[in-house]
Amino acid sequence: MAKPLSTVMSTKGQVILPKVLRERRNWAPGVCLQVEETEDGVLLRRAPLFERTALKDVFGVLKRPGVAVSLEEMDQAVLAEAARRAGD
């Protein structure tokens, strides 16, 4: 286990995380963190980019007008767009 690091809380309640921890965790300025009180102290973890959802809550959100296309038609469309972009 790594040697414990220390920091000081400012009068505004701000705590600076040691640079070695920020770099190890790849936490850049502006990263959103979750703060959880535990029995042993306080736990910081990167907040998820999106709220957790259930499939039933999002199924059918992106409705497409008309009939559904097949996987083959989707593949053809993707290849056609890739070819178009390669020609630009």
Side-chain angles (χ1 to χ4, degrees):
M1 184 148 213
K3 179 183 170 194
L5 302 170
S6 61
T7 189
V8 176
M9 184 181 304
S10 75
T11 56
K12 294 182 178 182
Q14 297 168 329
V15 175
I16 297 174
L17 299 176
K19 183 177 181 180
V20 66
L21 291 179
R22 296 190 317 264
E23 287 177 344
R24 193 178 301 149
R25 297 277 173 189
N26 197 24
W27 288 351
V31 68
C32 190
L33 302 173
Q34 288 180 331
V35 182
E36 181 182 334
E37 187 173 14
T38 69
E39 198 172 289
D40 293 324
V42 176
L43 173 66
L44 293 177
R45 68 168 54 106
R46 183 186 293 265
L49 294 177
F50 302 99
E51 293 284 330
R52 252 195 134 136
T53 57
L55 182 58
K56 68 178 181 61
D57 296 332
V58 295
F59 184 77
V61 170
L62 300 176
K63 295 188 187 231
R64 180 182 179 280
V67 280
V69 295
S70 68
L71 290 176
E72 292 79 19
E73 290 171 307
M74 285 188 245
D75 288 342
Q76 289 173 358
V78 168
L79 290 173
E81 179 61 15
R84 186 192 69 78
R85 291 183 183 196
D88 287 347

